[in-house]
Amino acid sequence: MIIQCPGCHARARIADSLEGARVSCGECGRVYVARATGRRSSASSRRLGLWFGLGAGVVALLAAVLMLVQGKGTKYAADAGPEKPVAAPSGVDPADYERSPIFQAAIGVHQAAALGQAITVQAAMYGPRVYAWKQTVASAAAAPAENEPAPPTAEARQALEAEFAALPSYRQQEILAGYAESMCQGEDRDIVGAWQPFDGSLVAYDQATGTARIRLTVSSREAGSTENRHVEWTLYEDRGRWKVTSWERWYSEAEKKATRKKRDKGYERVTLSDGSIVLERDPEPLEHLADTPPELRARIDQLIATMLDLELTKEATRARAQLVEIGRPAIPRLLTKLYEIPLDTEAQSIQVNQVDVALRAITGQDHGYRPMELVGSAVGTTKERRESAIRQWFAWWYRNEKTFVAAEKKDLLEELIPPTEKEKRGLERRDG
């Protein structure tokens, strides 16, 4: 079901079973009781009949990604729609995005791209306008940053459409096939194929040109992800059928604000899928501390290299112990390894674990990283938790770099309970 924060109006999708539970808004932090809005998103009510291509049949929506309130700086009802009512095309109900043909056209492209059906995606495009848009985007990307080109005029767009129309039919199909493939498994997959729509609004409609602009609210198809986004689509009514002409990531004012806030503070407050709230920061390579002497820098780098050599068992253990002794000066370079080492193989997961163990020993912090990914009843943790643990380390260092002092190692004798006066006299008599 879809719930909405009563404070900032940010929407998110959660499991129906959580209705009535107290949840925390990922946008403003307000705690409220989860109640379904007018639209529900259960599997039984969210299946859409989508007809694409010649005899393509019905494409069922993939299962919804269940999530706790995350927001991620995104508002839906509050700022995703237009400020004033928009005149809708014939047969389009802006309040019923699931059944209106204009929304079905864009939703169907998301679905077909997710399933890798490039031919279906290609059939959903209006070629001349997609080509004109893509050429305009490419020209803007190639222009120097200090000389950003002005938006193309209507005449320029028409010239590009005519250029496309003049191409041989096979060449037109090759170009459109490339665009479709990009949505299925290329650069545009992160805008289309990887995201599942669950809400939408009509932004603009121009009856004279037969074009409409809609905005879909989408959730990630990746298991464990809690992110929502907006994708804005432009469509053209071609002989009674709506076809897509452009697709772009759209950022709400709340998302822009959250991005600025993250950039200013360096970290963000994140709600994981299990409901836990953590601070995260994007990993990045870090230099040695400014006050670390050159010889110590070289020693730290060499010890880290030895520790990460999985063939040097005893030497790696000794190297880790020496890094723990060095303490604070070793932290930035250890964190850098968390940034540099991917989690693609078991060996890499073990290397990251070596770094995590050293950091835990130095700092006394534990952000939940475990080398094995949880599968069934085996020991381990989720992919979300492992990746979050790395980001939590960077958030922790960003907040504590200037004030952190490694705990001094105490003599074990100091940990003993001091003797009483009676015990002291007994010891004196024994020693005397």
Side-chain angles (χ1 to χ4, degrees), residues 328-340:
R328 183 175 182 272
I331 294 177
R333 301 304 293 168
L334 288 168
L335 290 174
T336 296
K337 288 303 175 182
L338 294 183
Y339 163 80
E340 292 178 345

Side-chain angles (χ1 to χ4, degrees), residues 13-51:
R13 183 168 53 184
I14 65 173
D16 289 351
S17 60
L18 293 176
E19 184 167 11
R22 293 177 65 80
V23 295
S24 174
C25 176
E27 168 63 18
C28 68
R30 178 169 178 169
V31 176
Y32 64 98
V33 177
R35 300 295 183 195
T37 60
R39 297 174 184 161
R40 299 182 66 86
S41 61
S42 63
S44 60
S45 65
R46 305 294 292 181
R47 291 187 175 274
L48 305 179
L50 304 174
W51 296 86

Side-chain angles (χ1 to χ4, degrees), residues 5-6 38 76 92 106 316 344 383 395:
C5 174
Y76 307 113
V92 173
D344 297 334
K383 179 181 179 182

Side-chain angles (χ1 to χ4, degrees), residues 306-316:
T306 302
M307 181 185 72
L308 296 179
D309 190 334
L310 301 183
E311 296 183 358
L312 303 176
T313 306
K314 293 182 180 180
E315 295 88 340

Side-chain angles (χ1 to χ4, degrees), residues 40 45-46 48 50 96-100 103-104 107:
R40 299 182 66 86
S45 65
R46 305 294 292 181
L48 305 179
L50 304 174
D96 188 5
Y97 91 103
E98 289 187 352
R99 285 181 285 275
S100 295
F103 290 108
Q104 287 188 18
I107 293 170

Side-chain angles (χ1 to χ4, degrees), residues 396-410:
W396 175 85
W397 180 242
Y398 181 86
R399 300 177 70 222
N400 295 277
E401 174 185 356
K402 295 180 180 179
T403 59
F404 170 74
V405 176
E408 294 182 4
K409 295 178 176 59
K410 298 180 180 180

